[in-house]
Amino acid sequence: MNRSIRSPWVRDSRSSRGMPCSPSSASGCLLGHTLGDLAVGLIGLAVVTGIGVLFGWRPERGPLPVLAGFLLLAVFMYAMLWVGVLLGLFSRNMETINVVAGLVTVLLSFLSNAFQSVDRLPAWLRPVAEWNPVSAVVTWTRELWGNPTAAGGSFPGEHASLAVAISLGAVFVLTVLFSLRRFRTAAS
């Protein structure tokens, strides 16, 4: 069960059924849950990487860029866990968060350069895809692992590392702040 789905349970149980995170603070409770989910996600990433290696995937660069790529994926995973926390804390029930989390996942994935070039999108949709955190992470990971693609001439495409820092930094800071605020108000 991922973080976004468990968030309503944690919120409800903290306020009515006896605080499973007590006596810790709200930040400690959410931090512990997200770090635990990150560990599970990293195990999944290791399994997928192992299967990729079995099927012939090989990075084109040395070990340091490969490690940097995996670190980038871990940072992205952690930022997205906080998006899930925020969605879960605003959800009224488990069914709603399943639908919303699936929709967010599909939108972020398909409105990125992960499956097709951003240049193939309509002009009005192109800036959304270019500044999508998934696009920045995909571009930078491809560069680190020696599989670059055409950047498309946009600022995020040409400066993937800066786009990652801006987009993931904003996502992380905003979702952590809003999640902590929502968690505290829901518990009181």
Side-chain angles (χ1 to χ4, degrees):
M1 184 184 321
N2 71 27
R3 164 77 358 244
S4 60
I5 294 171
R6 278 193 307 234
S7 294
W9 174 82
V10 171
R11 180 194 63 221
D12 293 342
S13 63
R14 187 165 194 252
S15 61
S16 62
R17 283 181 284 171
M19 300 173 54
C21 297
S22 68
S24 66
S25 66
S27 58
C29 179
L30 294 178
L31 182 68
H33 281 286
T34 56
L35 288 175
D37 286 340
L38 178 62
V40 171
L42 292 175
I43 291 169
L45 181 60
V47 169
V48 169
T49 301
I51 292 170
V53 168
L54 286 175
F55 281 104
W57 174 76
R58 301 290 183 271
E60 301 294 322
R61 302 240 174 120
L64 289 180
V66 171
L67 288 175
F70 283 116
L71 180 63
L72 172 61
L73 292 175
V75 168
F76 175 73
M77 198 181 307
Y78 195 64
M80 293 301 109
L81 283 170
W82 280 97
V83 171
V85 167
L86 185 62
L87 290 174
L89 289 171
F90 277 96
S91 175
R92 296 227 185 266
N93 58 46
M94 303 282 185
E95 293 79 20
T96 302
I97 193 57
N98 273 332
V99 172
V100 172
L103 182 63
V104 168
T105 301
V106 168
L107 285 175
L108 282 176
S109 299
F110 286 104
L111 288 178
S112 73
N113 64 358
F115 300 111
Q116 71 173 357
S117 172
V118 174
D119 296 334
R120 296 181 58 149
L121 295 174
W124 64 272
L125 195 54
R126 198 170 298 136
V128 173
E130 289 171 343
W131 282 97
N132 181 344
V134 174
S135 292
V137 170
V138 166
T139 301
W140 199 16
T141 304
R142 286 177 177 162
E143 289 175 10
L144 288 168
W145 289 348
N147 307 333
T149 58
S154 66
F155 179 82
E158 297 290 328
H159 307 283
S161 59
L162 188 56
V164 165
I166 292 170
S167 61
L168 286 186
V171 165
F172 181 73
V173 168
L174 291 173
T175 55
V176 168
L177 291 175
F178 288 133
S179 295
L180 291 174
R181 183 174 185 183
R182 176 67 179 177
F183 192 76
R184 286 185 186 116
T185 58
S188 57

